[in-house]
Structures are given as C-alpha cells and as structure tokens.
Amino acid sequence: MNRNDLRRVDMNLLVIFETLMFEKNLTRAGEKLFLGQPAVSASLAKLRDLFDDPLLVRNGRVLEPTQRALQILKELQPAMDTISGAVSRAKDFDPATSRDVFRIGLSDDAEFGLFPPLLKQIREEAQNVVVVVRRVNFLLMSSMLASGEISVGISYTTELPANAKRKKLRDLSVKILRGDNRPGALTLDDYCERPHALVSFSGDLTGAIDNDLARIGRSRRVVLAVPQFAGLRALLAGTDLLATVPDYAACALIEGSSQLRADDPPFDINLSELSMVWNGVNDNDPAERWLRSRIAQHMSAPLPGH
C-alpha cells in the first residue's frame, strides 16, 4: 500500500480496532468509544475486510485475538502513538479557555489525602476542563494507561508500563490513627495487642506493614478491612481500633476532628514511593504537561505543620 492508498483507510477504524483488542468485548468497546454495539460490530466487519483476517474470534463471552491481529496491534500502536503525539503538540494549551477532559488514575489514599487541593488549583486555573478520576493500584496502572482509560496515574509503583515515564512525588511516611482517649504514645506491645482496621483495595487482610512487623518477629491482628479511607474517621472514633495510614491521609482524617489523633509508628517502616506515571506519547502534549506540573506541585508539597 502506498501513501495514496492510505486515503481509503478510515482512521476511526484503527482506533476501534485498538480498543477492541484491549476490551475483547463489543459492548465494553462501544462504551469506551461512545458508540452503540451495532456500530462497533459493523466496524469490526470492515476491519476484517481491510486486513483479510477474522481478527477476533468468539470464545465464550470474550473475543480472542488471532495471531495476525496481535501482530497488527504490535505494528500499529507505535504509529498511532506518533500520530496522536504530533496532533497534540500542534495545539496550544490555554487553561483559561480549555475544555479538555483529563483522565487521572488515583490510588484511594492519594484521592482522599492529596487530590482536593489539586482539584481546587485546577478549577481556579481551568474552570471549563473536565476531570475524570479512576481508581488504580500498581496492578491496574499498566493496562489503564495502555488502553487510554487514564493519561496519568498516581500510585505506589516503581514498575513502568511499556512506553511510560515516571516521576517520584514523595516518600511514604505513615501514622497510626487512633480514636481512644488513653494517654501517652503507643508502644510496640500496644500496637501488636490492639485490633486493627485496614484499608484494602482488594479485600486482603495484610499489607506492607505486616512485612515490617515480621522482620522484627511481631504481628498485628486485623479485624476490619474497608475499601476506602473516607470511612475511617467514623469507624475509629471512640474505639480501641488502630489504623496505619499514609501521613497525608492521616492529616486529612484528623483535620477538624477532635475524635482522632495520630501517633508515629513504634517500629521502623520500610519506605516506599508515591509516583506519577504517564504514557510516553503524552510526554510533550501541552495540556498533559500542564496537568502533570500541577500534580507534581500539589502532591509533592510538604504537609501542613511539617
């Protein structure tokens, strides 16, 4: 195929093909693309004719890609990234007039403890933009960046998805939240004997803190796991429960509350990092660069009183 032949190719079909390869489901692909299932089905038929291959073959409830489809995707993605980047860089970005949609992936602790001041800044500078927040963790980050569901993600990860870039935002420091009125700081024995609440994205009853305790031959007793940080204030108040949380989440939880206080941990914690990760194709996009600069400014800032 020469360059003149490219005029016969609908770029929209290639975008639909890429989405179908990630979703492997006509309905979900249509939802991502804001298209009805019949339109996606018709586009798949055109794609099969264009590439002279079935591309996706039904296997139960999912569509499995053929080997030819996987090869096409491997060749197509870098080209589409290049085109997308070239078009993006051709646009100037003025936050005061922009109506862009920003799709940000946030871990729950970052959303709860660090996102509010960031959103305030975005709203002050770019009141017409739309911000879509998706929940991520280190397991979901790679696929959500690759599929375009998010353009930038903030979580605890040092593993880079393919064609991604990373910036460290801050070291993790933790605090022990408590809602009792017992005097004095927690000792290690107190910490291990008291019941614990855990914020768990997946419902697991263990976390990185348990590894730190195991290194000194100790353990804790988790009696409650909840999916997000927002409920801890009410759950801990007036109880003997403890919750070990990032310092910025603790700061947000005790702000304006006389029911909770925060102690330093009575044992050494292995520090991890909160990072910002983004798709390399957006590296020079003016709007995305503006967004990342605001994320770094607010999510790297010292906490009040520190």
Side-chain angles (χ1 to χ4, degrees):
M1 177 180 284
N2 59 39
R3 293 297 174 91
N4 283 334
D5 291 331
L6 282 175
R7 291 181 300 173
R8 297 188 292 107
V9 179
D10 183 352
M11 280 294 295
N12 289 322
L13 285 178
L14 302 183
V15 174
I16 292 170
F17 168 74
E18 184 181 42
T19 305
L20 280 168
M21 288 294 288
F22 284 115
E23 296 300 326
K24 301 180 178 64
N25 180 284
L26 295 178
T27 301
R28 288 201 304 271
E31 290 172 351
K32 292 284 176 61
L33 297 163
F34 302 102
L35 295 173
Q37 183 174 330
V40 178
S41 182
S43 296
L44 178 57
K46 292 178 182 178
L47 284 162
R48 285 167 169 164
D49 181 63
L50 176 65
F51 290 115
D52 192 24
D53 188 86
L55 299 178
L56 292 153
V57 180
R58 184 161 297 282
N59 181 8
R61 294 185 177 182
V62 299
L63 297 170
E64 295 292 346
T66 64
Q67 287 300 313
R68 172 70 176 134
L70 292 171
Q71 183 62 36
I72 292 169
L73 181 67
K74 183 178 179 181
E75 296 175 355
L76 190 63
Q77 272 195 294
M80 292 184 68
D81 285 347
T82 300
I83 293 170
S84 176
V87 172
S88 295
R89 287 190 291 274
K91 300 185 300 180
D92 291 328
F93 178 72
D94 179 5
T97 60
S98 172
R99 295 183 178 273
D100 281 25
V101 177
F102 292 117
R103 301 182 182 276
I104 308 173
L106 295 174
S107 56
D108 181 62
D109 54 297
E111 180 186 347
F112 181 75
L114 297 173
F115 181 60
L118 168 63
L119 180 61
K120 182 180 179 182
Q121 180 72 38
I122 291 173
R123 295 289 301 150
E124 287 176 354
E125 293 188 49
Q127 62 180 352
N128 294 314
V129 304
V130 177
V131 179
V132 179
V133 174
R134 299 292 302 274
R135 184 64 46 79
V136 300
N137 62 7
F138 70 97
L139 295 173
L140 296 175
M141 183 86 79
S142 180
S143 63
M144 292 181 76
L145 281 170
S147 67
E149 292 175 76
I150 58 174
S151 64
V152 58
I154 293 90
S155 184
Y156 299 102
T157 178
T158 55
E159 297 296 324
L160 286 181
N163 192 32
K165 296 180 179 291
R166 171 183 175 266
K167 177 181 177 64
K168 173 185 170 182
L169 296 175
R170 64 195 308 131
D171 287 320
L172 168 65
S173 177
V174 303
K175 294 287 187 179
I176 315 300
L177 280 178
R178 52 192 296 194
D180 62 272
N181 56 9
R182 301 180 194 178
L186 287 168
T187 67
L188 179 58
D189 286 339
D190 292 334
Y191 183 88
C192 295
E193 290 168 5
R194 295 267 290 270
H196 288 256
L198 174 70
V199 178
S200 172
F201 182 87
S202 61
D204 292 338
L205 296 177
T206 59
I209 296 299
D210 296 284
N211 297 330
D212 294 317
L213 285 168
R215 276 191 288 272
I216 58 174
R218 303 299 292 265
S219 63
R220 62 176 176 170
R221 180 169 55 97
V222 175
V223 301
L224 173 67
V226 294
Q228 53 193 20
F229 283 81
L232 284 179
R233 183 184 289 115
L235 293 171
L236 267 60
T239 76
D240 62 347
L241 285 167
L242 304 175
T244 307
V245 303
D247 55 355
Y248 48 83
C251 186
L253 282 162
I254 64 177
E255 183 179 7
S257 172
S258 60
Q259 297 176 302
L260 295 185
R261 53 188 166 134
D263 282 6
D264 290 324
F267 56 96
D268 290 333
I269 303 290
N270 265 9
L271 293 180
S272 56
E273 297 176 350
L274 185 69
S275 300
M276 174 170 62
V277 181
W278 64 96
N279 195 317
V281 69
N282 294 321
D283 195 38
N284 291 313
D285 180 291
E288 292 291 331
R289 290 178 66 180
W290 175 84
L291 175 64
R292 293 195 302 270
S293 73
R294 298 307 181 267
I295 291 173
Q297 175 187 346
H298 285 279
M299 295 195 171
S300 300
L303 297 174
H306 287 65

